[in-house]
Amino acid sequence: MHVLCLLGVFLWGAVELDTEPAWESADNDFSTGGVLADIDDDGDLDLVTGNGNDMDRDPNRVYYNENDMLEDTASWSSADIAWNGHISLGDMDADGDLDLAVAGFAGGGWVSDPSRVYLNEEGTFASNPAWLGADTLHAFSCDWGDADADGDLDLAIAAGNEYNDRRQKVVIYENSDGVLSAEPMWESDDADYNMDVCWVDIDGDGDLDLAAGGYETNRIYFMENGTLNQQAGWVSADSHHTVQIAFADFDRDGDMDMAAGDNNQIGDDQSRVRVYLNQDGTLDALPFWESKLWRYQSCVAWGDVDADGDLDLAAGGWWEPLSVYENIEGTFDTLPAWSWGTLNPYDLVCEQVIWGEINNDHWKWTKEDFGTRDAGEAVYPSHFPALDITQVWIDDEQAGPGEFFWNPADGWILLCKPGEVKVGYYYSEYPDLVVTNWASSPGNFLFLNREQQVSPPQDALVSLPKTIFSRGEPLHLIITSNIQISRVVLYDITGRRLAVHNSSNITNNYRLPFETSSLPSGVYMIYIHSDTKPITLRFHLL
């Protein structure tokens, strides 16, 4: 651990994050983008990072979650290097796993690198990108979403750079049968120093609109009858050099509010974190709340840190502390309830804050009914962020790849066929907090949430009747408590996934539909997703 000094922790409020990092990455990257998601489908969250920014050409990386903690050195790194910015995860090729999109920024005399996409191949990304944008954009952010209502994920890019006075447009690359176009299919009418882009159903009509955060204004481009307007239908009345935006239902009135991290590094003395309320489908032009401290705010993320049912706000800045603002009866104090920083401020340059569950002590599983929905509608789980979507049912039949899409950072689930919709998913009751760090040394940080940490009850046991089986012998689960199981996954000893069984009706002495007659002798693992901590069972096949 390189950084041992605590700058400050505020003691009021109910935020129980650790006062020192539990983990720090060892790779010397200029980390920028970050998303937590289960890349290898083993039931825990891995950290994906985009690296380089405007400082260096770096590889992108995945820090896999092993034994309830992120690995110090990433075991996946892209073979190529670039001035990489922020990232987005989505299923571009409709095969049921999350692919990685990375925005291509600029450095080294403001030479730009193209944005790129890495395909997920059985739990890890390909070493080289499957797609490169044919552009000279200075792209700092990207986001997967359906731009043309055709049932697949297109890629939106936020471009522009105030450092070299390059105003550029927001653009979208079209997905056709799992392949992105080389040139944009859509571009905004206006140009700005665009720093962030996000798909969100802002007007509550079921389709995804496109939000852009810029140095000059923040804007919303509305989707109408399957067509995304090129002219912004909402523009903020203030201008404070926004670096990042994030959406969630802050005031619990059924629509999506916006948080913005604003930065005054270039000519703005009003750098703050700001929240804009959504009033019946329209954002207020001016914020209803803004923070008081710091000058160079750069990242924001919504999450319920204290399990009280409302959303709190994490934020960070360049050369400034990481902070959490606690939601108290629908508003925030201007000062954070928790904050952490380094003794030397140049050791912490916050680029992305991410709520998640790393040490697997606060997982909860729930099943939510969304009623009848049309194809092309986006729904939001009531617990935000939803961290692992395990099952989607449409008319009581399990939806397969290409019948729905999920954006883990934005939180929405996009439906590609109509019907009665139910979703089973995991969320964290007391989420941990990760921050990506633009300073190349020290690394990225993790802060664990210790609030009401309890072990599962001793009687909450799931087991196999024995540990040694003969080939062809059926596998039965012995369940000795009232535990909900949603998915069971079979792995070999190398961690290769062999079979998946999804069911909401797993009870005691349940026979698993895994054929052992065709398996070679050896050691195998069964991974169980439950409404408590995930469970791993091991057995030997003779």
Side-chain angles (χ1 to χ4, degrees):
M1 187 75 65
H2 299 296
V3 178
L4 300 176
C5 184
L6 180 71
L7 183 143
V9 172
F10 295 85
L11 300 179
W12 57 88
V15 177
E16 295 293 337
L17 293 174
D18 277 354
T19 57
E20 292 186 4
W23 169 86
E24 177 187 326
S25 61
D27 298 299
N28 293 321
D29 298 319
F30 292 93
S31 291
T32 302
V35 178
L36 287 170
D38 186 3
I39 300 303
D40 51 4
D41 198 29
D42 65 350
D44 51 31
L45 298 182
D46 312 301
L47 174 63
V48 187
T49 62
N51 307 303
N53 206 299
D54 59 353
M55 295 297 294
D56 192 17
R57 282 192 165 105
D58 286 338
N60 303 299
R61 302 192 194 272
V62 177
Y63 298 88
Y64 285 101
N65 192 327
E66 303 290 346
N67 301 316
D68 300 339
M69 185 53 61
L70 298 173
E71 55 191 0
D72 293 338
T73 302
S75 59
W76 179 85
S77 298
S78 61
D80 58 333
I81 59 175
W83 312 102
N84 296 300
H86 284 275
I87 66 176
S88 181
L89 295 178
D91 188 3
M92 182 184 79
D93 51 4
D95 64 351
D97 51 31
L98 296 169
D99 306 306
L100 170 61
V102 185
F105 199 45
W110 302 122
V111 176
S112 64
D113 278 329
S115 299
R116 57 201 63 215
V117 173
Y118 304 85
L119 294 180
N120 190 328
E121 299 176 345
E122 298 183 352
T124 191
F125 297 118
S127 297
N128 290 294
W131 173 86
L132 293 172
D135 58 53
T136 56
L137 297 173
H138 291 193
F140 196 62
S141 177
C142 61
D143 201 29
W144 292 108
D146 190 359
D148 47 10
D150 64 349
D152 54 25
L153 293 183
D154 312 297
L155 187 63
I157 298 285
N161 192 339
E162 189 174 26
Y163 290 136
N164 62 348
D165 195 25
R166 180 168 293 197
R167 288 178 176 83
Q168 294 182 319
K169 298 182 177 184
V170 178
V171 302
I172 300 173
Y173 295 90
E174 182 180 15
N175 187 337
S176 297
D177 297 324
V179 178
L180 288 183
S181 58
E183 300 289 344
M185 58 155 310
W186 180 96
E187 62 180 27
S188 60
D189 285 343
D190 47 14
D192 194 354
Y193 310 116
N194 294 298
M195 300 297 286
D196 200 11
V197 65
C198 183
W199 290 99
V200 56
D201 182 11
I202 203 70
D203 52 6
D205 63 354
D207 54 30
L208 292 172
D209 311 301
L210 186 62
Y215 266 28
E216 295 182 330
T217 58
N218 301 319
R219 302 171 305 285
I220 305 287
Y221 304 92
F222 289 99
M223 181 82 72
E224 295 181 356
N225 300 318
T227 299
L228 187 66
N229 291 333
Q230 293 176 277
Q231 182 176 358
W234 175 87
V235 179
S236 60
D238 56 345
S239 174
H240 297 297
H241 292 196
T242 297
V243 175
Q244 191 169 87
I245 52 179
F247 292 86
D249 186 6
F250 160 73
D251 52 6
R252 294 187 287 183
D253 65 349
D255 46 35
M256 305 299 286
D257 310 300
M258 184 178 80
D262 297 336
N263 192 296
N264 77 341
Q265 189 188 16
I266 302 178
D268 182 1
D269 62 358
Q270 297 297 315
S271 176
R272 300 286 188 272
V273 176
R274 293 179 167 86
V275 175
Y276 300 76
L277 291 183
N278 190 328
Q279 309 285 353
D280 298 322
T282 302
L283 285 180
D284 289 343
L286 293 171
F288 101 102
W289 175 87
E290 62 182 41
S291 61
K292 185 176 182 180
L293 293 178
W294 323 133
R295 300 181 60 197
Y296 305 126
Q297 296 295 276
S298 56
C299 51
V300 286
W302 296 102
D304 186 2
V305 67
D306 49 10
D308 63 354
D310 54 31
L311 291 176
D312 311 296
L313 187 61
W318 298 342
W319 316 290
E320 292 179 340
L322 180 65
S323 299
V324 175
Y325 297 90
E326 183 185 2
N327 185 337
I328 302 176
E329 297 181 354
T331 191
F332 298 115
D333 195 295
T334 55
L335 298 177
W338 177 95
S339 188
W340 179 90
T342 53
L343 178 63
N344 181 349
Y346 293 102
D347 286 337
L348 180 60
V349 184
C350 301
E351 290 287 354
Q352 183 73 56
V353 281
I354 319 157
W355 294 108
E357 180 59 57
I358 301 300
N359 63 343
N360 299 319
D361 61 344
H362 290 135
W363 280 117
K364 295 293 181 182
W365 187 85
T366 189
K367 185 176 181 180
E368 198 165 336
D369 190 339
F370 290 93
T372 301
R373 300 287 178 156
D374 292 329
E377 280 200 64
V379 298
Y380 289 88
S382 57
H383 294 282
F384 187 90
L387 299 176
D388 191 11
I389 305 298
T390 59
Q391 292 167 290
V392 174
W393 297 270
I394 300 177
D395 290 336
D396 293 325
E397 292 186 2
Q398 186 172 330
E403 294 182 330
F404 74 95
F405 293 97
W406 176 49
N407 187 312
D410 297 344
W412 45 257
I413 301 166
L414 183 67
L415 306 167
C416 299
K417 59 185 293 188
E420 185 82 14
V421 177
K422 299 181 179 68
V423 177
Y425 64 95
Y426 284 98
Y427 67 97
S428 179
E429 188 176 24
Y430 294 99
D432 308 313
L433 188 63
V434 173
V435 57
T436 62
N437 188 9
W438 173 91
S440 62
S441 180
N444 307 309
F445 297 112
L446 161 68
F447 297 86
L448 294 177
N449 194 329
R450 301 293 186 180
E451 176 68 25
Q452 296 185 12
Q453 180 172 340
V454 294
S455 300
Q458 290 298 311
D459 62 344
L461 298 177
V462 180
S463 62
L464 294 167
K466 53 187 179 178
T467 59
I468 300 177
F469 290 82
S470 299
R471 291 178 63 192
E473 189 176 356
L475 303 173
H476 290 265
L477 288 181
I478 305 301
I479 304 174
T480 60
S481 71
N482 186 21
I483 186 172
Q484 279 191 303
I485 297 174
S486 60
R487 180 167 59 171
V488 182
V489 187
L490 177 66
Y491 293 90
D492 65 17
I493 193 60
T494 69
R496 182 168 61 97
R497 186 177 63 181
L498 302 177
V500 179
H501 176 57
N502 295 298
S503 177
S504 58
N505 299 308
I506 296 178
T507 57
N508 186 35
N509 205 27
Y510 188 88
R511 178 172 176 172
L512 294 170
F514 299 150
E515 287 292 333
T516 60
S517 58
S518 61
L519 297 176
S521 299
V523 178
Y524 294 84
M525 294 175 290
I526 293 176
Y527 192 89
I528 297 169
H529 296 248
S530 74
D531 58 348
T532 62
K533 183 177 179 179
I535 299 166
T536 301
L537 306 176
R538 183 183 294 235
F539 68 95
H540 195 103
L541 190 64
L542 298 179

